[in-house]
Amino acid sequence: MNVITRLRHSPVNKPPPGQVRIIGGTLRGSKLPVPDMPGLRPSGDRARETLFNWLQHEVAGKRALDLFAGAGALGFEAASRGAAEVVLLERDGLLAQSLRDSVCRLKADAVRVEYADAMNWLARPPESRFDLAFLDPPFQANLWGAAAQALSPWLADEAWVY
């Protein structure tokens, strides 16, 4: 397993931006709504650009999993850059519906949204393996270790985890 460490290490105490834009790929410039919700802090443009520059040869044709999708910036960025399948997990019903609306609006056929708690979803036996996983739980939830451990059986041998 290849691990990319986080590009931001602490929460920023400013309100969400209202929308984030997809940086590259076929959906470049498209905007994703970011509702004003406690704890929702999507990865910024610069962090996503750096991350996907590192992953540029690891995304196309691969399966990606965004465990705590939120606004969906990481998952939609992977889909925009050619991921064959992207699964977004979101436990908040309003956010999950917003993600589904974005899938339809952007015609992002590679993206599948599941309204589910990531930890419960990972507790199931793996259906198939993922080549790329985005592990960015809410800071206050303290789920890093448990989520990483639960994710392990779902990963392909040469998977990348952010």
Side-chain angles (χ1 to χ4, degrees):
M1 169 180 28
N2 303 291
V3 177
I4 298 173
T5 57
R6 294 178 43 78
L7 298 174
R8 56 182 166 85
H9 296 283
S10 63
V12 178
N13 293 325
K14 56 184 181 178
Q19 62 186 17
V20 293
R21 69 182 177 89
I22 298 171
I23 302 299
T26 59
L27 300 174
R28 181 181 181 176
S30 299
K31 296 191 169 130
L32 300 171
V34 180
D36 188 4
M37 298 180 75
L40 182 61
R41 301 286 181 263
S43 298
D45 290 2
R46 202 168 199 184
R48 278 184 288 114
E49 183 174 20
T50 300
L51 172 64
F52 282 92
N53 283 342
W54 288 339
L55 293 172
Q56 65 184 323
H57 302 294
E58 306 299 332
V59 179
K62 303 290 177 72
R63 297 186 74 237
L65 175 63
D66 190 347
L67 289 163
F68 303 89
L74 294 171
F76 277 97
E77 195 74 51
S80 182
R81 294 169 187 249
E85 180 185 12
V86 178
V87 176
L88 304 178
L89 303 180
E90 180 51 55
R91 72 176 183 175
D92 183 278
L94 293 174
L95 284 174
Q97 187 56 53
S98 177
L99 292 168
R100 285 188 190 104
D101 293 345
S102 292
V103 168
C104 291
R105 179 175 48 83
L106 300 174
K107 298 178 176 77
D109 298 331
V111 179
R112 182 176 92 227
V113 178
E114 293 203 20
Y115 173 44
D117 176 84
M119 297 306 294
N120 291 337
W121 193 89
L122 290 172
R124 309 178 319 185
E127 301 161 5
S128 56
R129 311 252 183 221
F130 290 91
D131 305 294
L132 180 60
F134 302 108
L135 177 58
D136 193 12
F139 289 100
Q140 67 278 16
N142 197 25
L143 292 172
W144 292 95
Q149 187 173 18
L151 174 62
S152 186
W154 289 83
L155 297 174
D157 290 340
E158 297 296 319
W160 287 83
V161 176
Y162 166 76

